[in-house]
Amino acid sequence: MANYFVRGNKLWINYTVDDKRYRKSTGLSDTKQNRKIVEQTIIPQLESKIATGEIYKKKPKTFCYYGNIFLKHKEKSLRAFTQRLPYFERVIEYFKNRNIDTITRLDIKEYLNNLNMKSRSKCIYKSCINEIFELAVDDGVISMNPSLNIKLPNDEKAPVQFFKKEEVEKLLSVATGIMKPYLLIAFNTGMRPEELLGLQFTDIKDNIINIVRVRTKGRVDYPKTKNSFRKVPIAQFIVNEIDKLKSNSLYLFGNFDDAGKLRKRWSRVLKDANVEHKKLSATRHTFATLMLKDNIVSINELSGLLGHSSPKVTLTHYASVIDIGSINLGKNFALFGHDLDTIENKSNYKSHC
């Protein structure tokens, strides 16, 4: 049975669950209208939850319990769930059977600080922890999420890895089999590895590649963002190279459904070309870097070709490769005020009078 009482001009609820008495504020001021709301709405709803067992004393409160609920929800996001599952599992394993209402903000900070990785990766762990605590808040087990507003230090931005023009020529000259068309497309379009492996023969028409899917970890999915759906042009000699790939498969690169399956072939190409090892994704960085360095496109245009969500993202990645020294404005450049006397000029004029 539940009832209400007044404390400090606020309406409070008094109720018992599993022989334990609870008192909670409604947050409502003591007015005639609010008393009616408490009597006719809040108390009946509370008593219904007590009767159905939705509110009971021995509710599971371990971090692992809410972690498993979190994982169940995350399965709906297929690609993101698959890629980040190991992170989620490590977080749940660490806090495991600890009651979620005993884990403090300091506990979370210590866990994140002890992770030997960049802040960018730590953010995935922090996001997981945050969402699990939010579930406990929603369930009424805790009143506040202790992981909110925990800040991580910014990582030092690593330099963009890209190949020089002569290195690209070497790589293309020794590439054989599927690596030849793969690298021709990659270096000339800046496509992501998963976008390349998701290409079907029907996606190429009139020297235009239509990017509508990705393949990674053996799964087919939609591209990364809305802007990742895009069309990119390719030269005829690349189309001719693609034609040599034609087979019974829908996909250009057949059963190669993850970039990891190209690792050995990529290492062989690098070794044969005598070029320093870089990740396969460096082909994308090479395209973007050389397009900017040679002033072939603007930041806005490059953003569209790369499928970035905005030019700001492109600039964040590639600002370091823009050659400011190549911008020549001339020694007499002035955007405003070139036809006005400055205070200094007027002072000099008076001194000579």
Side-chain angles (χ1 to χ4, degrees):
M1 191 71 181
N3 53 54
Y4 71 89
F5 62 97
V6 179
R7 176 185 287 176
N9 197 35
K10 294 290 183 182
L11 295 172
W12 285 62
I13 301 291
N14 178 58
Y15 63 97
T16 302
V17 179
D18 290 344
D19 299 322
K20 185 174 179 179
R21 186 181 179 189
Y22 295 88
R23 291 180 177 181
K24 290 190 176 181
S25 173
T26 64
L28 300 174
S29 299
D30 181 22
T31 65
K32 185 177 180 179
Q33 183 178 3
N34 286 341
R35 287 191 179 203
K36 190 174 181 180
I37 292 173
V38 171
E39 290 174 346
Q40 297 181 2
T41 304
I42 295 179
I43 288 180
Q45 288 179 354
L46 176 62
E47 289 179 337
S48 175
K49 289 181 178 181
I50 294 172
T52 59
E54 189 175 341
I55 297 177
Y56 61 100
K57 179 184 175 183
K58 297 178 181 178
K59 181 176 288 188
K61 295 196 296 184
T62 63
F63 189 88
C64 184
Y65 171 78
Y66 291 103
N68 288 331
I69 295 175
F70 167 77
L71 291 181
K72 190 179 294 184
H73 290 175
K74 279 292 178 181
E75 286 179 339
K76 296 175 184 178
S77 180
L78 189 60
R79 183 174 55 175
F81 176 80
T82 303
Q83 292 175 338
R84 298 189 173 194
L85 180 58
Y87 294 84
F88 302 153
E89 289 177 336
R90 284 193 284 270
V91 168
I92 295 168
E93 177 63 26
Y94 179 83
F95 290 107
K96 208 169 181 179
N97 293 322
R98 288 186 59 177
N99 282 347
I100 201 162
D101 58 351
T102 67
I103 300 172
T104 66
R105 186 178 178 84
L106 181 60
D107 292 331
I108 300 167
K109 282 185 174 181
E110 287 182 344
Y111 171 70
L112 293 172
N113 289 335
N114 288 332
L115 293 173
N116 186 23
M117 60 187 64
K118 294 182 177 180
S119 291
R120 183 177 179 180
S121 295
K122 289 183 182 182
C123 281
I124 301 175
Y125 288 91
K126 192 182 83 165
S127 174
C128 171
I129 293 170
N130 178 62
E131 290 192 52
I132 290 173
F133 272 104
E134 280 299 312
L135 290 173
V137 172
D138 292 342
D139 207 25
V141 171
I142 56 176
S143 59
M144 185 181 71
N145 185 341
S147 68
L148 290 177
N149 301 319
I150 291 179
K151 293 185 178 180
L152 297 171
N154 293 327
D155 292 323
E156 285 188 23
K157 193 162 183 61
V160 175
Q161 282 198 329
F162 65 93
F163 295 103
K164 297 175 183 177
K165 285 184 179 180
E166 55 269 25
E167 290 177 324
V168 175
E169 295 297 340
K170 286 182 181 179
L171 292 168
L172 291 175
S173 68
V174 301
T176 58
I178 65 165
M179 292 308 292
K180 182 78 170 186
Y182 180 96
L183 293 177
L184 278 172
I185 300 172
F187 279 124
N188 284 286
T189 66
M191 288 175 63
R192 301 177 178 95
E194 62 269 26
E195 293 172 341
L196 271 157
L197 297 181
L199 283 178
Q200 295 182 358
F201 288 101
T202 53
D203 296 329
I204 303 169
K205 187 178 180 181
D206 298 328
N207 295 77
I208 297 292
I209 293 178
N210 188 25
I211 302 170
V212 294
R213 78 186 67 77
V214 298
R215 276 201 303 172
T216 183
K217 308 277 185 199
R219 300 177 183 273
V220 179
D221 208 336
Y222 293 115
K224 192 174 182 181
T225 65
K226 181 180 70 174
N227 293 67
S228 295
F229 287 87
R230 63 196 189 281
K231 299 178 186 292
V232 293
I234 52 171
Q236 183 59 45
F237 75 91
I238 300 178
V239 175
N240 295 340
E241 201 65 40
I242 291 171
D243 287 339
K244 298 176 185 178
L245 288 170
K246 293 212 170 182
S247 65
N248 294 328
S249 175
L250 290 172
Y251 296 95
L252 266 65
F253 301 103
N255 294 327
F256 290 90
D257 53 11
D258 185 73
K261 293 184 177 181
L262 294 175
R263 194 172 291 120
K264 287 184 178 179
R265 291 170 184 255
W266 175 232
S267 295
R268 171 59 62 184
V269 172
L270 289 166
K271 184 177 179 181
D272 291 347
N274 194 26
V275 171
E276 182 182 352
H277 188 279
K278 292 180 178 64
K279 292 180 179 180
L280 192 57
S281 57
T283 57
R284 176 173 169 84
H285 300 320
T286 301
F287 169 81
T289 299
L290 296 181
M291 291 289 270
L292 287 175
K293 276 182 171 290
D294 293 349
N295 293 318
I296 298 173
V297 293
S298 67
I299 284 287
N300 283 354
E301 291 167 331
L302 181 62
S303 178
L305 288 170
L306 294 176
H308 283 161
S309 57
S310 72
K312 182 180 178 181
V313 174
T314 311
L315 189 59
T316 299
H317 283 306
Y318 301 109
S320 61
V321 305
I322 299 175
D323 184 9
I324 300 300
S326 66
I327 303 174
N328 182 15
L329 298 178
K331 63 180 181 179
N332 294 318
F333 173 80
L335 186 58
F336 299 109
H338 60 282
D339 57 346
L340 300 177
D341 282 334
T342 64
I343 294 175
E344 183 182 356
N345 287 340
K346 288 183 178 180
S347 298
N348 290 337
Y349 176 77
K350 288 181 181 180
S351 66
H352 288 291
C353 289

